[in-house]
mmCIF file of all heavy atoms in Angstrom:
data_model
loop_
_atom_site.group_PDB
_atom_site.id
_atom_site.type_symbol
_atom_site.label_atom_id
_atom_site.label_comp_id
_atom_site.label_asym_id
_atom_site.label_seq_id
_atom_site.Cartn_x
_atom_site.Cartn_y
_atom_site.Cartn_z
ATOM 1 N N ALA A 7 16.284 9.932 -73.295
ATOM 2 C CA ALA A 7 15.101 10.640 -72.799
ATOM 3 C C ALA A 7 14.453 11.452 -73.909
ATOM 4 O O ALA A 7 13.220 11.545 -74.000
ATOM 5 C CB ALA A 7 15.475 11.538 -71.628
ATOM 6 N N GLU A 8 15.301 12.053 -74.771
ATOM 7 C CA GLU A 8 14.769 12.833 -75.893
ATOM 8 C C GLU A 8 13.992 11.947 -76.852
ATOM 9 O O GLU A 8 12.978 12.374 -77.419
ATOM 10 C CB GLU A 8 15.908 13.541 -76.629
ATOM 11 C CG GLU A 8 16.559 14.672 -75.839
ATOM 12 C CD GLU A 8 15.561 15.750 -75.467
ATOM 13 O OE1 GLU A 8 14.713 16.090 -76.319
ATOM 14 O OE2 GLU A 8 15.601 16.246 -74.330
ATOM 15 N N ARG A 9 14.449 10.709 -77.033
ATOM 16 C CA ARG A 9 13.731 9.792 -77.931
ATOM 17 C C ARG A 9 12.395 9.372 -77.313
ATOM 18 O O ARG A 9 11.393 9.236 -78.021
ATOM 19 C CB ARG A 9 14.581 8.550 -78.211
ATOM 20 C CG ARG A 9 15.793 8.789 -79.099
ATOM 21 C CD ARG A 9 16.318 7.470 -79.651
ATOM 22 N NE ARG A 9 15.375 6.863 -80.583
ATOM 23 C CZ ARG A 9 15.555 5.681 -81.198
ATOM 24 N NH1 ARG A 9 16.677 5.004 -80.941
ATOM 25 N NH2 ARG A 9 14.680 5.184 -82.032
ATOM 26 N N LEU A 10 12.400 9.152 -76.034
ATOM 27 C CA LEU A 10 11.174 8.682 -75.360
ATOM 28 C C LEU A 10 10.147 9.798 -75.189
ATOM 29 O O LEU A 10 8.935 9.552 -75.238
ATOM 30 C CB LEU A 10 11.525 8.100 -73.987
ATOM 31 C CG LEU A 10 12.355 6.818 -73.983
ATOM 32 C CD1 LEU A 10 12.828 6.508 -72.562
ATOM 33 C CD2 LEU A 10 11.522 5.650 -74.519
ATOM 34 N N PHE A 11 10.632 10.999 -74.961
ATOM 35 C CA PHE A 11 9.747 12.133 -74.675
ATOM 36 C C PHE A 11 10.032 13.253 -75.688
ATOM 37 O O PHE A 11 10.551 14.310 -75.341
ATOM 38 C CB PHE A 11 9.968 12.632 -73.245
ATOM 39 C CG PHE A 11 9.787 11.570 -72.197
ATOM 40 C CD1 PHE A 11 10.889 10.862 -71.718
ATOM 41 C CD2 PHE A 11 8.540 11.260 -71.711
ATOM 42 C CE1 PHE A 11 10.735 9.871 -70.754
ATOM 43 C CE2 PHE A 11 8.370 10.276 -70.745
ATOM 44 C CZ PHE A 11 9.472 9.572 -70.272
ATOM 45 N N LYS A 12 9.666 12.975 -76.919
ATOM 46 C CA LYS A 12 9.983 13.893 -78.018
ATOM 47 C C LYS A 12 9.340 15.260 -77.792
ATOM 48 O O LYS A 12 8.156 15.371 -77.485
ATOM 49 C CB LYS A 12 9.491 13.307 -79.342
ATOM 50 C CG LYS A 12 10.226 12.033 -79.757
ATOM 51 C CD LYS A 12 9.651 11.461 -81.046
ATOM 52 C CE LYS A 12 10.361 10.181 -81.447
ATOM 53 N NZ LYS A 12 9.780 9.571 -82.670
ATOM 54 N N GLY A 13 10.148 16.293 -77.965
ATOM 55 C CA GLY A 13 9.639 17.657 -77.884
ATOM 56 C C GLY A 13 9.422 18.170 -76.475
ATOM 57 O O GLY A 13 8.979 19.308 -76.292
ATOM 58 N N ILE A 14 9.693 17.371 -75.471
ATOM 59 C CA ILE A 14 9.509 17.802 -74.081
ATOM 60 C C ILE A 14 10.814 18.430 -73.605
ATOM 61 O O ILE A 14 11.794 17.725 -73.296
ATOM 62 C CB ILE A 14 9.108 16.623 -73.176
ATOM 63 C CG1 ILE A 14 7.802 15.992 -73.670
ATOM 64 C CG2 ILE A 14 8.974 17.088 -71.738
ATOM 65 C CD1 ILE A 14 6.622 16.938 -73.723
ATOM 66 N N THR A 15 10.852 19.749 -73.589
ATOM 67 C CA THR A 15 12.077 20.466 -73.240
ATOM 68 C C THR A 15 11.986 21.203 -71.914
ATOM 69 O O THR A 15 13.002 21.580 -71.342
ATOM 70 C CB THR A 15 12.419 21.483 -74.349
ATOM 71 O OG1 THR A 15 11.305 22.381 -74.508
ATOM 72 C CG2 THR A 15 12.686 20.772 -75.676
ATOM 73 N N GLU A 16 10.765 21.413 -71.425
ATOM 74 C CA GLU A 16 10.623 22.114 -70.151
ATOM 75 C C GLU A 16 11.124 21.244 -69.000
ATOM 76 O O GLU A 16 11.119 20.012 -69.071
ATOM 77 C CB GLU A 16 9.156 22.481 -69.900
ATOM 78 C CG GLU A 16 8.641 23.627 -70.737
ATOM 79 C CD GLU A 16 7.199 23.953 -70.398
ATOM 80 O OE1 GLU A 16 6.304 23.220 -70.844
ATOM 81 O OE2 GLU A 16 6.968 24.951 -69.682
ATOM 82 N N THR A 17 11.471 21.893 -67.921
ATOM 83 C CA THR A 17 11.910 21.179 -66.727
ATOM 84 C C THR A 17 10.802 21.201 -65.685
ATOM 85 O O THR A 17 9.913 22.067 -65.725
ATOM 86 C CB THR A 17 13.161 21.844 -66.132
ATOM 87 O OG1 THR A 17 12.806 23.161 -65.668
ATOM 88 C CG2 THR A 17 14.275 21.941 -67.154
ATOM 89 N N PRO A 18 10.867 20.276 -64.727
ATOM 90 C CA PRO A 18 9.878 20.312 -63.650
ATOM 91 C C PRO A 18 9.883 21.642 -62.906
ATOM 92 O O PRO A 18 8.820 22.144 -62.518
ATOM 93 C CB PRO A 18 10.329 19.165 -62.740
ATOM 94 C CG PRO A 18 11.003 18.205 -63.652
ATOM 95 C CD PRO A 18 11.718 19.072 -64.650
ATOM 96 N N GLU A 19 11.057 22.218 -62.739
ATOM 97 C CA GLU A 19 11.158 23.485 -62.022
ATOM 98 C C GLU A 19 10.404 24.596 -62.755
ATOM 99 O O GLU A 19 9.772 25.450 -62.124
ATOM 100 C CB GLU A 19 12.626 23.871 -61.842
ATOM 101 C CG GLU A 19 13.411 22.996 -60.870
ATOM 102 C CD GLU A 19 13.689 21.597 -61.416
ATOM 103 O OE1 GLU A 19 13.690 21.432 -62.667
ATOM 104 O OE2 GLU A 19 13.916 20.680 -60.610
ATOM 105 N N GLU A 20 10.472 24.575 -64.071
ATOM 106 C CA GLU A 20 9.742 25.583 -64.851
ATOM 107 C C GLU A 20 8.235 25.406 -64.711
ATOM 108 O O GLU A 20 7.483 26.385 -64.622
ATOM 109 C CB GLU A 20 10.159 25.499 -66.321
ATOM 110 C CG GLU A 20 11.575 25.985 -66.581
ATOM 111 C CD GLU A 20 12.023 25.732 -68.006
ATOM 112 O OE1 GLU A 20 11.654 24.672 -68.578
ATOM 113 O OE2 GLU A 20 12.736 26.589 -68.566
ATOM 114 N N ILE A 21 7.797 24.151 -64.702
ATOM 115 C CA ILE A 21 6.362 23.875 -64.515
ATOM 116 C C ILE A 21 5.920 24.307 -63.126
ATOM 117 O O ILE A 21 4.903 24.995 -62.947
ATOM 118 C CB ILE A 21 6.057 22.375 -64.716
ATOM 119 C CG1 ILE A 21 6.395 21.932 -66.144
ATOM 120 C CG2 ILE A 21 4.589 22.085 -64.392
ATOM 121 C CD1 ILE A 21 5.529 22.527 -67.213
ATOM 122 N N ILE A 22 6.689 23.928 -62.124
ATOM 123 C CA ILE A 22 6.340 24.247 -60.740
ATOM 124 C C ILE A 22 6.237 25.759 -60.536
ATOM 125 O O ILE A 22 5.360 26.252 -59.804
ATOM 126 C CB ILE A 22 7.381 23.633 -59.778
ATOM 127 C CG1 ILE A 22 7.274 22.098 -59.811
ATOM 128 C CG2 ILE A 22 7.179 24.152 -58.353
ATOM 129 C CD1 ILE A 22 8.402 21.381 -59.096
ATOM 130 N N ALA A 23 7.093 26.510 -61.223
ATOM 131 C CA ALA A 23 7.082 27.969 -61.086
ATOM 132 C C ALA A 23 5.788 28.580 -61.606
ATOM 133 O O ALA A 23 5.399 29.680 -61.196
ATOM 134 C CB ALA A 23 8.283 28.563 -61.829
ATOM 135 N N ARG A 24 5.123 27.876 -62.506
ATOM 136 C CA ARG A 24 3.851 28.379 -63.050
ATOM 137 C C ARG A 24 2.695 28.159 -62.078
ATOM 138 O O ARG A 24 1.586 28.651 -62.294
ATOM 139 C CB ARG A 24 3.540 27.677 -64.377
ATOM 140 C CG ARG A 24 4.399 28.218 -65.507
ATOM 141 C CD ARG A 24 4.477 27.315 -66.722
ATOM 142 N NE ARG A 24 3.268 26.585 -67.049
ATOM 143 C CZ ARG A 24 3.252 25.566 -67.931
ATOM 144 N NH1 ARG A 24 4.390 25.194 -68.522
ATOM 145 N NH2 ARG A 24 2.143 24.941 -68.197
ATOM 146 N N TYR A 25 2.921 27.410 -61.032
ATOM 147 C CA TYR A 25 1.876 27.099 -60.057
ATOM 148 C C TYR A 25 2.347 27.505 -58.659
ATOM 149 O O TYR A 25 2.687 26.658 -57.831
ATOM 150 C CB TYR A 25 1.544 25.603 -60.085
ATOM 151 C CG TYR A 25 0.912 25.145 -61.374
ATOM 152 C CD1 TYR A 25 1.699 24.758 -62.458
ATOM 153 C CD2 TYR A 25 -0.472 25.118 -61.520
ATOM 154 C CE1 TYR A 25 1.123 24.341 -63.647
ATOM 155 C CE2 TYR A 25 -1.059 24.704 -62.699
ATOM 156 C CZ TYR A 25 -0.250 24.322 -63.762
ATOM 157 O OH TYR A 25 -0.839 23.911 -64.940
ATOM 158 N N PRO A 26 2.372 28.791 -58.377
ATOM 159 C CA PRO A 26 2.851 29.251 -57.065
ATOM 160 C C PRO A 26 1.927 28.796 -55.940
ATOM 161 O O PRO A 26 0.754 28.484 -56.162
ATOM 162 C CB PRO A 26 2.844 30.772 -57.206
ATOM 163 C CG PRO A 26 1.806 31.049 -58.251
ATOM 164 C CD PRO A 26 1.904 29.913 -59.224
ATOM 165 N N LYS A 27 2.451 28.774 -54.765
ATOM 166 C CA LYS A 27 1.669 28.389 -53.601
ATOM 167 C C LYS A 27 0.493 29.336 -53.434
ATOM 168 O O LYS A 27 0.614 30.551 -53.576
ATOM 169 C CB LYS A 27 2.545 28.428 -52.344
ATOM 170 C CG LYS A 27 1.828 27.956 -51.092
ATOM 171 C CD LYS A 27 2.746 27.971 -49.883
ATOM 172 C CE LYS A 27 2.016 27.516 -48.628
ATOM 173 N NZ LYS A 27 2.902 27.532 -47.430
ATOM 174 N N ARG A 28 -0.662 28.780 -53.141
ATOM 175 C CA ARG A 28 -1.865 29.598 -52.967
ATOM 176 C C ARG A 28 -1.746 30.473 -51.722
ATOM 177 O O ARG A 28 -1.236 30.038 -50.693
ATOM 178 C CB ARG A 28 -3.103 28.704 -52.834
ATOM 179 C CG ARG A 28 -3.479 27.958 -54.111
ATOM 180 C CD ARG A 28 -4.678 27.070 -53.863
ATOM 181 N NE ARG A 28 -5.083 26.321 -55.042
ATOM 182 C CZ ARG A 28 -5.940 26.744 -55.966
ATOM 183 N NH1 ARG A 28 -6.479 27.953 -55.822
ATOM 184 N NH2 ARG A 28 -6.253 26.004 -57.006
#
Side-chain angles (χ1 to χ4, degrees):
E8 290 301 319
R9 289 197 67 182
L10 293 170
F11 304 95
K12 294 177 181 178
I14 301 301
T15 58
E16 286 182 283
T17 65
E19 290 71 24
E20 290 173 323
I21 298 293
I22 292 170
R24 284 162 36 193
Y25 294 87
K27 184 178 179 180
R28 291 178 180 271

